[in-house]
């Protein structure tokens, strides 16, 4: 039986998107590709509220997360860590041979403007990484407030992961002044995995120019040169780009405001259910993610068993990430999900819990 995906990524992909991926192939140096690429880029600029460069990389998000480190980390990087993905980004930074410090807070806590300010005020760093929405813990750090601090340190290049948040709420890249923003598409975009989008402003590209060891596949300057011709350095996954093009059209057909509102509604429904069922939340109230809810297993349920029962009912369920397995469970509310589908899932979840 095909399971409906209620894990925080990949999530279910609409049939219309799968159909778009079956579009007959074109060559990436043909003008048909440049037209597709340019169209996608223009739509992304609208979505990201940027006039700057937007690049397409057919890799998973971590490809570009590693690439950003290679291109933008010079003397020393501050990796802000508050969960599995941000911890891993620190590890990746070190593996690239860069000097870096993990600025850690407890899992479940946000990265705060005070912490960023205190860290950057040391003058030790020329770059930073931060994850807007830590999917492992369901924490959404306050990006506008963080960005305000970033702007006070213009010599520090900011690299921000919005993998599980971009498109679910307004993230105006230029206004925030984020130097490099990165996201994959299998979470908030509800597309098949294997495609990542990133921005790099002038400051970021200037930094890249002086950087050794950029490699080739993720060399930001190669991306910039090819971007002038609406193209990519190497052969992209063209089917994935057809899918993104189709999804962007669907996003604008729904409308940005209604999309953001739908996410707020779905998050509200799930939070209300979690509280009503007697579970807690890992993050404190103002930092709960808009795209996934991480509940603490306050009722001490056998989550592995629950996962098995839900599997038989046709749902893929998440019983916690990494060291949080069994102690928390996560419910996604993102992408093309609708309140009705979430309600059905919650009803099923509740039924399974009662039968445990
Ligand atoms: C899923 C996820 C990633 C990793 O993405 P990949 O596509 O597996 O490389 C990175 N950051 C966040 C916040 C994520 O949720």
């Amino acid at each position: 039986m095909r399971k409906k995906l209620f894990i925080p990524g990949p999530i279910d992909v609409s049939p219309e998107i799968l159909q778009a991926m079956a579009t007959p192939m074109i060559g990436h140096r043909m003008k048909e590709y440049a037209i597709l690429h340019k169209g996608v880029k223009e739509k992304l600029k609208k979505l990201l509220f940027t006039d700057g460069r937007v690049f397409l990389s057919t890799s998973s998000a971590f490809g570009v997360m590693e690439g950003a480190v290679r291109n933008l980390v010079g003397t020393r990087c501050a990796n802000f860590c508050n969960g599995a993905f941000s911890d891993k980004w620190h590890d990746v930074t070190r593996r690239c041979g860069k000097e870096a410090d993990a600025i850690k807070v407890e899992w479940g806590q946000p990265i705060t403007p005070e912490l960023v300010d205190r860290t950057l005020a040391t003058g030790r760093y020329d770059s930073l990484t931060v994850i807007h929405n830590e999917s492992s813990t369901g924490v959404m750090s306050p990006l506008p407030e963080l960005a305000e601090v970033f702007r006070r340190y213009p010599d520090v290049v900011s690299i921000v992961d919005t993998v599980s948040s971009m498109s679910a709420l307004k993230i105006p890249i230029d206004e925030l002044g984020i130097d490099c923003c990165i996201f994959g598409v299998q979470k908030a975009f509800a597309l098949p995995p294997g495609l990542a989008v990133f921005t790099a402003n002038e400051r970021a590209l200037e930094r890249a120019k002086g950087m050794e060891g950029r490699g080739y596949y993720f060399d930001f300057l190669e991306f910039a040169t090819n971007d002038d011709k609406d193209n990519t350095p190497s052969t992209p996954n063209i089917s994935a780009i057809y899918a993104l093009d189709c999804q962007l059209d669907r996003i604008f057909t729904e409308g940005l405001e209604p999309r953001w509102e739908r996410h707020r509604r779905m998050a509200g429904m799930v939070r209300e259910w979690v509280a009503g069922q007697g579970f807690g939340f890992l993050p404190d109230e103002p930092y709960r993610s808009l795209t996934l809810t991480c509940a603490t297993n306050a009722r001490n349920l056998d989550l592995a068993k629950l996962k098995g029962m839900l599997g038989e009912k046709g749902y893929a369920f998440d019983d916690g990430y990494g060291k949080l397995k069994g102690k928390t469970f996560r419910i996604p509310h993102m992408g093309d999900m609708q309140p009705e589908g979430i309600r059905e899932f919650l009803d099923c979840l509740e039924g399974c819990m009662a039968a445990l």
Side-chain angles (χ1 to χ4, degrees), residues 334-348:
M334 59 171 90
D336 290 338
M337 289 179 176
Q338 296 294 331
E340 304 74 51
I342 294 197
R343 175 54 56 203
E344 277 170 30
F345 171 68
L346 295 176
D347 288 347
C348 181

Side-chain angles (χ1 to χ4, degrees), residues 60-62 65 85 131 133 135 161 163-164 186-187:
S60 91
F62 257 109
M65 290 160 80
F85 292 105
I131 292 189
N133 192 60
S135 316
D161 163 327
V163 172
S164 56
Q186 76 273 29
K187 311 236 172 111

Side-chain angles (χ1 to χ4, degrees), residues 16 160 180 208 312 322 332 341:
E16 204 183 322
V160 181
C180 174
E312 282 167 26

Side-chain angles (χ1 to χ4, degrees), residues 10 30 73 125 250 258 264 270 291 308:
M30 287 163 59
V73 176
Y125 304 102
R250 296 172 83 234
R264 286 194 293 269
V270 173
T291 56

Side-chain angles (χ1 to χ4, degrees), residues 8-10 59-65 84-86 88-89 131-136 161-165 182-187 193-196 292 321 330 334:
S59 63
S60 91
F62 257 109
V64 184
M65 290 160 80
F85 292 105
S86 41
K88 185 166 161 187
W89 208 355
I131 292 189
H132 175 218
N133 192 60
E134 235 312 341
S135 316
S136 62
D161 163 327
T162 57
V163 172
S164 56
S165 54
I182 303 166
F183 56 92
V185 297
Q186 76 273 29
K187 311 236 172 111
L195 175 62
L292 71 134
Y321 191 104
R330 297 178 301 166
M334 59 171 90

Side-chain angles (χ1 to χ4, degrees), residues 139-157:
V139 170
M140 191 171 261
S141 290
L143 191 55
E145 287 84 349
L146 297 183
E148 202 182 309
V149 180
F150 302 163
R151 293 196 297 273
R152 276 188 249 142
Y153 297 90
D155 296 334
V156 180
V157 169

